Amino acid sequence: GVNDSEIFPAASLIKLPVMAAMYRQAETGNLNLDDKETLKKLDKVSGSGSLYGKPAGYQVTYRNLVELMGKQSDNTAFNISRKLLGDEKINDVIRSTGMVDTSLEENETSLRDIGVFFEELMKGNIVSANARDEILESLTDTIYEDWLAAGIPDGVRVAHKYGREIHVVNDAGIVFSDNPFVIVIMSKGVVEKEADSVFPELSKLVFDTETNKTSDF
Protein backbone atom coordinates (compact mmCIF):
# COMPACT_ATOMS: atom_id res chain seq x y z
CA GLY A 1 0.00 0.00 0.00
CA VAL A 2 0.92 3.66 -0.43
CA ASN A 3 0.13 5.82 2.61
CA ASP A 4 -2.11 2.97 3.73
CA SER A 5 -1.97 3.86 7.42
CA GLU A 6 -2.64 7.57 6.92
CA ILE A 7 -5.99 8.85 8.16
CA PHE A 8 -8.44 9.93 5.45
CA PRO A 9 -12.01 11.22 5.53
CA ALA A 10 -14.10 8.09 5.11
CA ALA A 11 -17.00 9.85 3.38
CA SER A 12 -19.56 7.18 2.53
CA LEU A 13 -17.12 4.32 3.07
CA ILE A 14 -18.23 4.62 6.71
CA LYS A 15 -21.47 2.98 5.57
CA LEU A 16 -19.63 -0.35 5.16
CA PRO A 17 -19.49 -1.35 8.87
CA VAL A 18 -23.09 -0.16 9.23
CA MET A 19 -24.20 -2.50 6.47
CA ALA A 20 -22.32 -5.36 8.11
CA ALA A 21 -23.74 -4.51 11.53
CA MET A 22 -27.29 -4.76 10.17
CA TYR A 23 -26.66 -8.31 9.01
CA ARG A 24 -24.77 -9.26 12.16
CA GLN A 25 -27.71 -8.17 14.29
CA ALA A 26 -30.03 -10.17 12.07
CA GLU A 27 -27.85 -13.25 12.50
CA THR A 28 -27.94 -12.94 16.28
CA GLY A 29 -31.72 -12.67 16.23
CA ASN A 30 -31.87 -9.04 17.33
CA LEU A 31 -33.21 -7.80 14.00
CA ASN A 32 -35.45 -9.13 11.26
CA LEU A 33 -34.28 -7.74 7.95
CA ASP A 34 -37.74 -8.22 6.47
CA ASP A 35 -39.38 -5.96 9.06
CA LYS A 36 -40.37 -2.56 7.77
CA GLU A 37 -39.41 0.92 8.87
CA THR A 38 -41.83 3.79 8.35
CA LEU A 39 -40.04 6.83 6.99
CA LYS A 40 -40.34 9.97 9.08
CA LYS A 41 -39.58 13.51 7.94
CA LEU A 42 -36.82 13.76 10.56
CA ASP A 43 -35.13 10.65 9.12
CA LYS A 44 -34.39 12.34 5.83
CA VAL A 45 -30.83 13.39 4.98
CA SER A 46 -30.18 15.11 1.67
CA GLY A 47 -27.44 14.16 -0.72
CA SER A 48 -27.09 10.77 -2.31
CA GLY A 49 -29.91 8.25 -2.50
CA SER A 50 -33.55 8.14 -3.51
CA LEU A 51 -35.07 7.61 -0.07
CA TYR A 52 -34.88 11.34 0.68
CA GLY A 53 -37.45 11.95 -2.05
CA LYS A 54 -39.98 9.50 -0.62
CA PRO A 55 -42.90 10.89 1.42
CA ALA A 56 -43.20 10.50 5.17
CA GLY A 57 -45.07 7.27 5.83
CA TYR A 58 -43.23 5.40 3.07
CA GLN A 59 -42.24 1.92 4.26
CA VAL A 60 -38.95 0.21 3.56
CA THR A 61 -37.53 -3.07 4.89
CA TYR A 62 -34.27 -3.15 6.79
CA ARG A 63 -32.85 -5.34 4.02
CA ASN A 64 -33.74 -2.61 1.54
CA LEU A 65 -31.95 -0.05 3.72
CA VAL A 66 -28.73 -2.03 3.34
CA GLU A 67 -29.29 -2.36 -0.39
CA LEU A 68 -29.88 1.39 -0.71
CA MET A 69 -26.69 2.13 1.22
CA GLY A 70 -24.80 -0.06 -1.23
CA LYS A 71 -26.42 0.65 -4.58
CA GLN A 72 -27.06 4.36 -4.06
CA SER A 73 -24.98 5.29 -1.00
CA ASP A 74 -28.30 6.47 0.42
CA ASN A 75 -27.77 8.95 3.28
CA THR A 76 -31.29 8.59 4.66
CA ALA A 77 -30.91 4.79 4.78
CA PHE A 78 -27.64 5.28 6.64
CA ASN A 79 -29.25 7.67 9.12
CA ILE A 80 -32.12 5.29 9.86
CA SER A 81 -29.78 2.30 10.18
CA ARG A 82 -27.39 4.11 12.50
CA LYS A 83 -30.21 5.19 14.81
CA LEU A 84 -31.71 1.70 14.72
CA LEU A 85 -28.43 -0.04 15.58
CA GLY A 86 -26.84 2.49 17.91
CA ASP A 87 -23.19 3.43 17.54
CA GLU A 88 -21.95 0.75 19.96
CA LYS A 89 -23.06 -2.12 17.71
CA ILE A 90 -21.46 -0.45 14.70
CA ASN A 91 -18.25 0.18 16.63
CA ASP A 92 -18.24 -3.46 17.68
CA VAL A 93 -18.06 -4.44 14.00
CA ILE A 94 -15.28 -1.91 13.46
CA ARG A 95 -13.25 -3.21 16.41
CA SER A 96 -13.81 -6.92 15.83
CA THR A 97 -12.89 -6.59 12.17
CA GLY A 98 -9.55 -5.03 13.09
CA MET A 99 -10.22 -1.57 11.71
CA VAL A 100 -7.88 0.21 14.12
CA ASP A 101 -7.85 3.60 12.38
CA THR A 102 -11.61 3.94 11.80
CA SER A 103 -13.86 6.33 13.72
CA LEU A 104 -17.59 6.32 13.12
CA GLU A 105 -18.01 9.52 15.09
CA GLU A 106 -15.27 11.40 13.21
CA ASN A 107 -16.00 9.71 9.86
CA GLU A 108 -12.35 8.78 9.43
CA THR A 109 -10.53 5.68 8.30
CA SER A 110 -7.39 4.46 6.54
CA LEU A 111 -6.81 2.56 3.32
CA ARG A 112 -5.54 -0.35 5.36
CA ASP A 113 -8.73 -0.51 7.43
CA ILE A 114 -10.98 -0.53 4.38
CA GLY A 115 -8.82 -3.20 2.81
CA VAL A 116 -9.06 -5.27 6.00
CA PHE A 117 -12.84 -4.88 6.00
CA PHE A 118 -13.22 -6.26 2.48
CA GLU A 119 -10.74 -9.07 3.06
CA GLU A 120 -12.43 -10.16 6.29
CA LEU A 121 -15.86 -9.84 4.68
CA MET A 122 -14.80 -11.99 1.75
CA LYS A 123 -13.36 -14.65 4.05
CA GLY A 124 -16.61 -14.86 6.00
CA ASN A 125 -15.11 -13.49 9.21
CA ILE A 126 -17.57 -10.62 9.72
CA VAL A 127 -20.91 -12.21 8.82
CA SER A 128 -22.00 -15.56 7.39
CA ALA A 129 -21.37 -16.49 3.77
CA ASN A 130 -25.02 -15.89 2.85
CA ALA A 131 -25.02 -12.46 4.50
CA ARG A 132 -21.69 -11.65 2.86
CA ASP A 133 -23.10 -12.51 -0.55
CA GLU A 134 -26.12 -10.25 -0.01
CA ILE A 135 -23.89 -7.36 1.06
CA LEU A 136 -21.63 -7.87 -1.95
CA GLU A 137 -24.65 -7.97 -4.24
CA SER A 138 -25.76 -4.60 -2.87
CA LEU A 139 -22.29 -3.27 -3.74
CA THR A 140 -22.42 -4.55 -7.33
CA ASP A 141 -23.78 -2.57 -10.30
CA THR A 142 -24.23 0.57 -8.24
CA ILE A 143 -25.04 4.03 -9.58
CA TYR A 144 -21.35 4.90 -9.11
CA GLU A 145 -19.55 2.91 -11.80
CA ASP A 146 -17.49 5.73 -13.35
CA TRP A 147 -14.58 5.62 -10.90
CA LEU A 148 -12.90 2.44 -9.68
CA ALA A 149 -15.09 0.12 -11.76
CA ALA A 150 -14.46 2.10 -14.95
CA GLY A 151 -10.84 0.92 -15.03
CA ILE A 152 -11.79 -2.76 -14.78
CA PRO A 153 -12.54 -4.68 -18.00
CA ASP A 154 -16.16 -5.26 -18.94
CA GLY A 155 -17.47 -8.58 -17.69
CA VAL A 156 -15.38 -8.56 -14.51
CA ARG A 157 -17.55 -8.10 -11.42
CA VAL A 158 -16.63 -5.30 -9.02
CA ALA A 159 -18.33 -5.10 -5.60
CA HIS A 160 -17.36 -1.70 -4.25
CA LYS A 161 -18.31 1.31 -2.15
CA TYR A 162 -17.96 4.85 -3.46
CA GLY A 163 -17.79 7.97 -1.31
CA ARG A 164 -17.49 11.66 -2.01
CA GLU A 165 -17.26 14.94 -0.12
CA ILE A 166 -15.78 18.34 -0.92
CA HIS A 167 -12.16 17.68 -2.02
CA VAL A 168 -12.59 13.98 -1.18
CA VAL A 169 -13.17 11.08 -3.59
CA ASN A 170 -13.00 7.47 -2.37
CA ASP A 171 -13.76 4.10 -3.93
CA ALA A 172 -12.90 0.63 -2.68
CA GLY A 173 -13.96 -2.96 -3.09
CA ILE A 174 -13.31 -6.43 -4.45
CA VAL A 175 -12.48 -7.15 -8.07
CA PHE A 176 -13.65 -10.66 -8.98
CA SER A 177 -11.08 -11.38 -11.66
CA ASP A 178 -9.60 -14.85 -12.14
CA ASN A 179 -7.42 -13.95 -9.18
CA PRO A 180 -9.75 -11.79 -7.01
CA PHE A 181 -8.23 -8.90 -5.10
CA VAL A 182 -9.16 -5.99 -2.86
CA ILE A 183 -8.49 -2.46 -4.11
CA VAL A 184 -8.78 0.75 -2.08
CA ILE A 185 -8.28 4.23 -3.52
CA MET A 186 -8.82 7.23 -1.24
CA SER A 187 -8.03 10.92 -1.54
CA LYS A 188 -8.19 14.19 0.35
CA GLY A 189 -7.53 17.79 -0.55
CA VAL A 190 -8.04 17.02 -4.22
CA VAL A 191 -9.70 18.76 -7.12
CA GLU A 192 -12.63 16.43 -7.62
CA LYS A 193 -12.62 16.58 -11.42
CA GLU A 194 -8.96 15.59 -11.47
CA ALA A 195 -9.63 12.68 -9.13
CA ASP A 196 -12.55 11.61 -11.31
CA SER A 197 -10.19 11.13 -14.26
CA VAL A 198 -7.40 9.51 -12.24
CA PHE A 199 -9.47 6.80 -10.51
CA PRO A 200 -10.10 4.66 -13.61
CA GLU A 201 -6.45 4.98 -14.59
CA LEU A 202 -5.30 3.83 -11.16
CA SER A 203 -7.70 0.90 -10.99
CA LYS A 204 -6.61 -0.24 -14.47
CA LEU A 205 -2.96 -0.14 -13.37
CA VAL A 206 -3.76 -2.16 -10.27
CA PHE A 207 -5.87 -4.62 -12.28
CA ASP A 208 -3.08 -5.18 -14.80
CA THR A 209 -0.64 -5.86 -11.94
CA GLU A 210 -2.86 -7.92 -9.66
CA THR A 211 -4.29 -10.23 -12.30
CA ASN A 212 -0.82 -11.74 -12.66
CA LYS A 213 -0.66 -12.68 -8.98
CA THR A 214 -2.08 -15.63 -7.03
CA SER A 215 -5.31 -14.98 -5.10
CA ASP A 216 -5.35 -14.99 -1.30
CA PHE A 217 -9.01 -16.01 -1.23
Side-chain angles (χ1 to χ4, degrees), residues 90-111:
I90 301 167
N91 283 323
D92 180 64
V93 169
I94 290 171
R95 288 191 299 265
S96 64
T97 302
M99 301 172 74
V100 297
D101 302 316
T102 299
S103 169
L104 173 66
E105 293 75 17
E106 299 297 327
N107 193 17
E108 294 177 341
T109 191
S110 65
L111 287 88

Side-chain angles (χ1 to χ4, degrees), residues 72-92:
Q72 302 180 10
S73 197
D74 196 295
N75 289 337
T76 298
F78 169 77
N79 186 44
I80 294 171
S81 300
R82 182 174 179 179
K83 288 192 293 186
L84 175 71
L85 293 165
D87 286 3
E88 183 54 37
K89 290 184 175 65
I90 301 167
N91 283 323
D92 180 64

Side-chain angles (χ1 to χ4, degrees), residues 119 177-182 209-217:
E119 184 174 4
S177 58
D178 291 339
N179 293 315
F181 61 92
V182 172
T209 301
E210 291 297 321
T211 49
N212 293 320
K213 294 183 178 180
T214 301
S215 172
D216 291 330
F217 297 141

Side-chain angles (χ1 to χ4, degrees), residues 34-148:
D34 294 319
D35 284 349
K36 293 182 177 180
E37 178 78 10
T38 300
L39 181 65
K40 305 174 187 65
K41 187 176 181 180
L42 290 175
D43 291 330
K44 294 186 178 187
V45 178
S46 61
S48 56
S50 60
L51 201 52
Y52 178 79
K54 301 297 184 183
Y58 178 83
Q59 291 191 319
V60 58
T61 68
Y62 297 139
R63 192 184 308 275
N64 289 149
L65 290 176
V66 177
E67 183 180 27
L68 286 165
M69 280 189 280
K71 297 284 189 187
Q72 302 180 10
S73 197
D74 196 295
N75 289 337
T76 298
F78 169 77
N79 186 44
I80 294 171
S81 300
R82 182 174 179 179
K83 288 192 293 186
L84 175 71
L85 293 165
D87 286 3
E88 183 54 37
K89 290 184 175 65
I90 301 167
N91 283 323
D92 180 64
V93 169
I94 290 171
R95 288 191 299 265
S96 64
T97 302
M99 301 172 74
V100 297
D101 302 316
T102 299
S103 169
L104 173 66
E105 293 75 17
E106 299 297 327
N107 193 17
E108 294 177 341
T109 191
S110 65
L111 287 88
R112 174 197 169 277
D113 274 15
I114 299 299
V116 165
F117 175 87
F118 276 110
E119 184 174 4
E120 293 301 300
L121 178 70
M122 188 62 188
K123 291 179 176 179
N125 294 335
I126 302 178
V127 293
S128 70
N130 287 338
R132 171 201 66 198
D133 291 345
E134 286 197 28
I135 291 172
L136 291 175
E137 176 57 33
S138 74
L139 296 170
T140 303
D141 294 327
T142 73
I143 66 172
Y144 300 106
E145 300 297 291
D146 294 333
W147 290 266
L148 187 155

Side-chain angles (χ1 to χ4, degrees), residues 149-209:
I152 307 301
D154 292 342
V156 177
R157 180 188 180 192
V158 183
H160 67 107
K161 185 73 194 72
Y162 173 81
R164 190 183 192 96
E165 294 179 355
I166 297 174
H167 304 312
V168 172
V169 182
N170 299 331
D171 209 344
I174 301 171
V175 177
F176 290 91
S177 58
D178 291 339
N179 293 315
F181 61 92
V182 172
I183 176 172
V184 183
I185 307 175
M186 301 181 70
S187 65
K188 57 184 176 180
V190 297
V191 177
E192 291 94 324
K193 287 185 178 180
E194 292 180 359
D196 292 343
S197 64
V198 167
F199 267 62
E201 297 175 5
L202 287 176
S203 62
K204 183 181 184 302
L205 284 171
V206 174
F207 179 86
D208 291 343
T209 301

